[in-house]
């Protein structure tokens, strides 16, 4: 109890001390005196936190003074080591910017068709064009493709088509052609 009275703010001690004594007496009745002493010590140690600790002058800790001190010493360090601080601030801001851009890109890429109830059943036909050593992918399809998908694949309940600014001619090779 002496340790508790030493660190606790006097305004709070009178309220908390009564609760500690009641808890101790309850534990003595139900768990025995040895276990009650151990539990009492643990409860006092749990109360050892900044919100109820008194400072050297008898009042509570001054968080504003601590914040002011840390801000002032950090500012002095920045002014003393300007190039090192500039590198650190530049690196931190670059890292945060890259993280935010990655998050925005991820949210953009995962937002397509997510508003549909059956988004997991939505597909897109992509046209692949081979030109020498390069391969192009187009998200546009010819208008007759939608009709062909509706007729040839009855499992597709809804089909739509998209087309870009260029005209496409869709033809099937005749026999003998490859």
């Amino acid at each position: 109890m002496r340790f508790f009275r030493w660190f606790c703010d006097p305004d709070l001690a009178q309220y908390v001390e009564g609760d500690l004594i009641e808890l101790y007496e309850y534990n003595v009745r139900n768990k025995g005196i040895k276990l009650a002493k151990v539990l009492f010590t643990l409860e006092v140690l749990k109360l050892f936190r900044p919100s109820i600790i008194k400072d050297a002058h008898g009042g509570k800790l001054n968080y504003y003074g601590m914040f002011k001190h840390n801000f002032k010493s950090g500012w002095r360090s920045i002014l003393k080591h300007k190039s090192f601080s500039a590198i650190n601030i530049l690196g931190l801001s670059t890292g945060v910017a890259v993280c935010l851009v990655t998050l925005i890109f991820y949210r953009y890429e995962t937002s397509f068709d997510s508003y549909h109830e059956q988004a997991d059943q939505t597909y897109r036909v992509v046209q692949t064009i081979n030109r020498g050593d390069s391969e192009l992918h187009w998200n546009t399809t010819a208008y007759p493709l939608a009709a062909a998908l509706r007729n040839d694949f009855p499992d597709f309940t809804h089909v739509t088509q998209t087309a870009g600014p260029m005209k496409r001619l869709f033809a099937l090779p005749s026999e003998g052609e490859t």
Side-chain angles (χ1 to χ4, degrees):
M1 195 54 101
R2 280 182 284 165
F3 176 69
F4 172 74
R5 289 179 184 145
W6 172 77
F7 77 80
C8 188
D9 183 12
D11 296 334
L12 297 173
Q14 60 185 352
Y15 302 110
V16 178
E17 187 175 327
D19 292 339
L20 283 173
I21 291 171
E22 286 179 16
L23 185 61
Y24 174 73
E25 290 171 355
Y26 173 81
N27 287 335
V28 167
R29 285 192 307 269
N30 294 328
K31 299 180 182 178
I33 193 161
K34 286 185 180 181
L35 186 57
K37 286 181 179 180
V38 171
L39 292 174
F40 181 79
T41 305
L42 290 174
E43 290 297 325
V44 169
L45 290 176
K46 284 184 202 174
L47 288 172
F48 191 72
R49 58 183 98 163
S51 59
I52 67 169
I53 296 176
K54 64 181 175 184
D55 67 0
H57 304 293
K60 288 188 177 182
L61 286 176
N62 186 353
Y63 291 112
Y64 173 72
M66 187 170 31
F67 176 76
K68 184 178 170 184
H69 167 73
N70 288 339
F71 185 76
K72 189 185 294 185
S73 64
W75 184 252
R76 288 177 183 164
S77 176
I78 288 172
L79 293 177
K80 185 176 180 183
H81 307 286
K82 290 178 184 168
S83 61
F84 184 69
S85 298
I87 291 170
N88 281 336
I89 291 170
L90 182 68
L92 178 65
S93 61
T94 304
V96 169
V98 167
C99 181
L100 289 175
V101 167
T102 305
L103 177 66
I104 290 169
F105 178 74
Y106 172 77
R107 289 190 64 196
Y108 174 75
E109 288 294 323
T110 58
S111 69
F112 291 106
D113 297 329
S114 61
Y115 55 89
H116 290 294
E117 290 179 6
Q118 298 175 344
D120 58 332
Q121 297 178 4
T122 302
Y123 297 96
R124 179 175 71 175
V125 177
V126 178
Q127 179 182 7
T128 304
I129 300 171
N130 292 320
R131 291 201 175 171
D133 59 344
S134 66
E135 192 174 85
L136 299 172
H137 299 282
W138 293 75
N139 64 346
T140 59
T141 56
Y143 287 110
L145 180 63
L149 288 175
R150 282 189 204 101
N151 295 334
D152 296 343
F153 298 97
D155 294 339
F156 295 160
T157 56
H158 296 88
V159 178
T160 188
Q161 63 270 356
T162 61
M166 299 185 321
K167 294 182 181 181
R168 298 272 185 222
L169 184 59
F170 209 73
L172 295 175
S174 59
E175 288 187 25
E177 288 185 22
T178 56

